[in-house]
Amino acid sequence: MDSKKKVPLLNKVAYGIGTGGGNIFNQIAAAFLLQYYTDTAMISAGSIATMFLVCRVFDGISDLLMGGVVDKTRTKWGKARPWLMLSAPLTLIGIYLLMNVPLGMSDGAKLVYAYVTYIFMAVIVYTIYGIANTALLPLMSRDHEETTMLATFSAIGNNLIGLIAGASITPLVLNLGWQKASLVLGLVACLMIGFSAFLNKEAAADEDSAEELKALPLKEQLPAVLKNKYFFLLLLVGVFSLLMNANAIGAQIYYCNLVVGNPMFMSTLMTAGQLPGLIILFAMPYISKRWSKQMFLLIGAVLLIVGFA
């Protein structure tokens, strides 16, 4: 695939499908995992909240390490693709282990199992997938408009498949149980990520851009980043977004069970929460040519504040 040529539509669709496959784990972790741990595995909410916090710290470290690994990777399949290929079967294994805590264990043993499997899936497997999938996008094309379109297909795939997965998890669990449901969800995620990994190729860098593509050592990157005020501003945006999503989405399953008294209403809430954003995404390639990313960020922040209020 020439770095200057247009990316075929099939490859854009495949990249979006791969991104959506990774979002299946996000849907499980954000909306259902806490309820599974507390109501099915019977682990205390305080212990699980501590586990999530501890694993977030490890996750930040693993992101930095994996970024360095991808930078240094040189294979005939490229830099990011080999890791994306590896993440597909590991996602199946991780999701299955995550949602199958042995219920006959003691409380302490169940908590240890939760720690080990959550670290494996969220800190190791999802980091491999996330860094590789993100790195693949600019490696598929060096054309600005093409990378914008790839990002749009990625967002559409992420939201569409996330919407379908989020609306399907509750009926899957009610009809099949957690064990079989986790196997189905893990297998679907594996196939979607694998589809993107095996179909897409990294663009060959020409001689003029070869020097530009050389990775800077972390010891040079980190001091430069820490001097950049916009990095810290966007870091705050990211932190607030995670807090918002964790509280809003994580509370939904309890709201459906305890207030509404109908766990199937979770499918309705997931649809109402994601469908409008999905519709807007289809217009993004055209609107993005008129306004800056800064303006989009500002509009999005204002709408979020008004919506939650």
Side-chain angles (χ1 to χ4, degrees), residues 91-107:
T91 298
L92 167 57
I93 296 169
I95 290 177
Y96 182 79
L97 292 176
L98 200 66
M99 301 167 70
N100 282 278
V101 177
L103 301 182
M105 286 182 169
S106 65
D107 291 346

Side-chain angles (χ1 to χ4, degrees), residues 64-256:
L64 287 172
L65 294 175
M66 191 61 207
V69 169
V70 171
D71 276 342
K72 295 176 181 178
T73 299
R74 299 287 187 276
T75 72
K76 64 180 181 180
W77 298 289
K79 294 164 61 70
R81 283 183 68 213
W83 296 106
L84 201 58
M85 293 174 186
L86 175 64
S87 71
L90 289 180
T91 298
L92 167 57
I93 296 169
I95 290 177
Y96 182 79
L97 292 176
L98 200 66
M99 301 167 70
N100 282 278
V101 177
L103 301 182
M105 286 182 169
S106 65
D107 291 346
K110 285 191 288 188
L111 184 59
V112 170
Y113 180 92
Y115 263 92
V116 172
T117 53
Y118 188 77
I119 288 174
F120 173 72
M121 181 61 215
V123 178
I124 300 174
V125 176
Y126 192 74
T127 295
I128 294 173
Y129 158 78
I131 298 296
N133 191 61
T134 302
L136 180 62
L137 190 153
L139 292 171
M140 288 175 65
S141 175
R142 297 185 59 74
D143 181 271
H144 173 70
E145 290 188 2
E146 287 300 286
T147 55
T148 299
M149 286 301 297
L150 278 167
T152 301
F153 273 86
S154 174
I156 291 172
N158 186 66
N159 283 270
L160 178 60
I161 295 169
L163 170 61
I164 295 170
S168 302
I169 291 174
T170 298
L172 272 175
V173 171
L174 290 177
N175 287 283
L176 301 177
W178 284 105
Q179 187 176 42
K180 291 181 180 178
S182 66
L183 185 61
V184 171
L185 293 167
L187 183 59
V188 172
C190 171
L191 293 174
M192 287 182 172
I193 295 170
F195 180 64
S196 174
F198 283 95
L199 186 66
N200 288 321
K201 295 180 181 179
E202 296 178 15
D206 53 38
E207 293 181 1
D208 293 334
S209 61
E211 188 67 28
E212 181 185 343
L213 287 173
K214 287 183 179 178
L216 286 172
L218 185 60
K219 64 181 181 181
E220 294 182 32
Q221 292 184 40
L222 195 56
V225 167
L226 295 178
K227 293 176 184 176
N228 188 333
K229 67 177 181 180
Y230 301 106
F231 165 76
F232 290 101
L233 289 171
L234 287 175
L235 182 64
L236 283 174
V237 171
V239 169
F240 291 142
S241 297
L242 286 172
L243 288 171
M244 174 193 68
N245 286 328
N247 285 280
I249 299 174
Q252 287 183 357
I253 187 68
Y254 293 99
Y255 175 78
C256 293

Side-chain angles (χ1 to χ4, degrees), residues 5-6 34 40 44 56 73 92 104 123 132 157 162 165 170 178 204 217 236 254 257 289 299:
K5 286 184 178 179
K6 300 294 184 183
L34 178 60
T40 301
S44 72
R56 280 293 179 189
T73 299
L92 167 57
V123 178
T170 298
W178 284 105
L236 283 174
Y254 293 99
N257 289 339
K289 296 178 181 179
I299 293 172

Side-chain angles (χ1 to χ4, degrees), residues 33-83:
L33 193 57
L34 178 60
Q35 188 262 346
Y36 167 73
Y37 281 140
T38 57
D39 293 9
T40 301
M42 304 303 292
I43 303 173
S44 72
S47 297
I48 295 302
T50 303
M51 182 188 78
F52 286 161
L53 181 62
V54 170
C55 290
R56 280 293 179 189
V57 176
F58 287 124
D59 192 27
I61 297 171
S62 68
D63 285 343
L64 287 172
L65 294 175
M66 191 61 207
V69 169
V70 171
D71 276 342
K72 295 176 181 178
T73 299
R74 299 287 187 276
T75 72
K76 64 180 181 180
W77 298 289
K79 294 164 61 70
R81 283 183 68 213
W83 296 106

